[in-house]
Amino acid sequence: MKEIVNAILKEKSFCKEITSELTLGADLGLDSLNLVELIVEIEERLHIEIDESDLDPTSLQTVGQIYTLVKKYTEGKNALRFFKGAYASVSKSNNS
């Protein structure tokens, strides 16, 4: 999961090394539009749907906070939705 998030962040920021302490704005240069694009790409690549209530920009300031958010949707009770989405995606590509 972190590898996917890091890959997306590297593409968006052109930063070579991503650590959980980096801030999205000051360190990676992401603005509010970039943050929306980041979330959409994470949802698409990980086959998850992040609830709007979890998308408060004031609580998404660091890479570590993005990791925590993604972990919430890929582990525990939300993991079943994650795996169903990933399975459906793989099944569609195999049937094409």
Side-chain angles (χ1 to χ4, degrees), residues 53-84:
S53 64
D54 288 324
L55 297 177
D56 176 13
T58 61
S59 66
L60 298 175
Q61 299 290 317
T62 67
V63 173
Q65 289 169 324
I66 295 292
Y67 292 158
T68 301
L69 176 65
V70 171
K71 185 176 178 180
K72 175 180 176 179
Y73 285 87
T74 57
E75 293 185 0
K77 68 179 183 178
N78 289 308
L80 182 58
R81 284 192 325 179
F82 167 73
F83 289 115
K84 281 183 178 179

